[in-house]
Amino acid sequence: MRHELRIRSEVRDALATGIPVVALESTLIAHGLPYPANVETARASETAVREHGAVPATIAVLAGVPTVGLADDELESLATEAGIRKASRRDLGPTLALRRTAATTVSATMALAHAAGIRVFATGGIGGVHKGPVGATFSWDVSADLVELGRTPVAVVCAGAKSLLDLPNTLEYLETLGVPVVGFGCDEFPAFYLTGSRLPAPARVDEPAEAAELLEAHWQLGGAGAVIAQPPPAAFALDPDEFHGWLAEAERLAAGAGVSGPAVTPFVLKQLAGLSGGRTVKLNQELIVANAGLAARISVALASTR
Ligand code: PSU
Ligand code: MN
């Protein structure tokens, strides 16, 4: 029994004729944002990709079928149905074999994008190395996103990673895996809610064409994933002191509720949304759409180098 990849006809035609395609993930729709912000963001991201000259392909697994390019009613059901699973790379085989529906994280979306022949992917933030329990310096909760970046040649355009993660160790681990981390128009690695992390981005580019050249060089030498990180839109970025207050409270609530594993990030995001009076949600929406637009510009630049 072969599990075919279902690629929407518009995406298939674009890939066959060299029109740039940008992959978009679905975990942020099903688990990262509340309704209706989630479906609005999914649609606005697709529009941003089109406005910048590329074809969007939102990716998920629907009743066991890995699907590249969701229809609008499929986006809507991921955004509204209860109990949608969150699939990282390890979950893809079981999800297909057991005919399940799941939203795909960065790692699973990269794997399916690569299988379809897509090289550029936009999301909000990548997963990373989680902070250890209080008093410990290390946790084995390391996002599969990092490992996938080390093995699959897809560029991930994002706003860095959230400061609920251990950002110094996340950058260390990306170096170990040979993953370029590139600031787009910035010298510091962006921290998703904050424009900077005080951690230097190991490389910087300022134009999509420079990003495309860097990616071509990386791939020519057998490199796999790459992180292209731009700061969140300045008008919506949060004040670091205020944000760290909310984060400490959200982490306290997560520990109190005994949340662990893949449930941690969605739980903390939900608490942050409440504590900030919705400001983290607004910022999250804005940065995802901005990243979709940048990914499209980079995919257009890449297409013109071939
Ligand atoms: N960042 C967001 N919203 C999200 C996620 C990241 O702003 O919903 C999701 C992405 O799909 C990412 C996943 O791949 O969280 C990482 O999950 P984990 O930490 O369990 O590896
Ligand atoms: Mn995890």
Side-chain angles (χ1 to χ4, degrees):
M1 154 90 228
R2 270 197 60 79
H3 292 272
E4 301 292 340
L5 200 58
R6 184 163 74 92
I7 306 180
R8 243 175 108 74
S9 58
E10 184 194 13
V11 174
R12 185 180 293 284
D13 291 349
L15 289 166
T17 53
I19 294 170
V21 176
V22 171
L24 300 165
E25 62 141 312
S26 46
T27 292
L28 62 88
I29 303 172
H31 303 283
L33 289 166
Y35 183 82
N38 54 0
V39 69
E40 286 164 14
T41 306
R43 290 187 181 125
S45 299
E46 294 207 344
T47 302
V49 168
R50 290 187 195 283
E51 281 171 358
H52 291 92
V55 171
T58 305
I59 293 178
V61 181
L62 304 178
V65 181
T67 303
V68 177
L70 299 182
D72 196 67
D73 59 316
E74 294 167 337
L75 280 184
E76 180 84 31
S77 60
L78 283 181
T80 50
E81 274 172 34
I84 304 270
R85 290 162 197 270
K86 168 180 169 182
S88 75
R89 163 61 109 150
R90 70 157 183 202
D91 304 304
L92 284 175
T95 303
L96 269 53
L98 300 171
R99 310 286 189 274
R100 287 176 170 159
T101 292
T104 49
T105 66
V106 168
S107 63
T109 305
M110 286 180 77
L112 296 178
H114 179 57
I118 302 171
R119 295 181 297 162
V120 183
F121 162 30
T123 185
I126 55 167
V129 178
H130 282 259
K131 289 176 192 163
V134 178
T137 53
F138 186 74
S139 148
W140 279 105
D141 189 355
V142 176
S143 177
D145 295 355
L146 302 185
V147 177
E148 200 63 33
L149 280 159
R151 68 191 275 199
T152 300
V154 169
V156 179
V157 179
C158 62
K162 296 196 191 72
S163 13
L164 41 127
L165 298 165
D166 177 339
L167 296 183
N169 278 333
T170 297
L171 290 174
E172 287 296 341
Y173 195 48
L174 286 169
E175 183 191 5
T176 302
L177 293 169
V179 177
V181 176
V182 184
F184 188 91
C186 58
D187 294 313
E188 281 182 32
F189 184 59
F192 192 90
Y193 295 121
L194 311 175
T195 53
S197 60
R198 306 222 180 112
L199 301 165
R204 170 180 175 146
V205 297
D206 291 277
E207 295 297 333
E210 289 177 276
E213 192 178 345
L214 184 152
L215 290 169
E216 287 290 12
H218 178 56
W219 290 331
Q220 264 173 39
L221 295 172
V227 175
I228 313 274
Q230 71 172 344
F236 298 92
L238 303 178
D239 169 69
D241 291 335
E242 193 175 28
F243 172 72
H244 284 115
W246 296 329
L247 179 59
E249 176 64 7
E251 286 172 336
R252 205 183 55 75
L253 292 167
V259 179
S260 66
V264 171
T265 303
F267 182 93
V268 172
L269 295 190
K270 196 165 173 222
Q271 300 305 325
L272 286 172
L275 291 162
S276 68
R279 281 175 60 198
T280 56
V281 174
K282 182 68 187 154
L283 168 63
N284 204 335
Q285 290 184 271
E286 295 290 334
L287 66 81
I288 290 167
V289 175
N291 295 342
L294 176 58
R297 292 164 67 206
I298 292 171
S299 72
V300 168
L302 265 175
S304 74
T305 66
R306 294 235 158 152

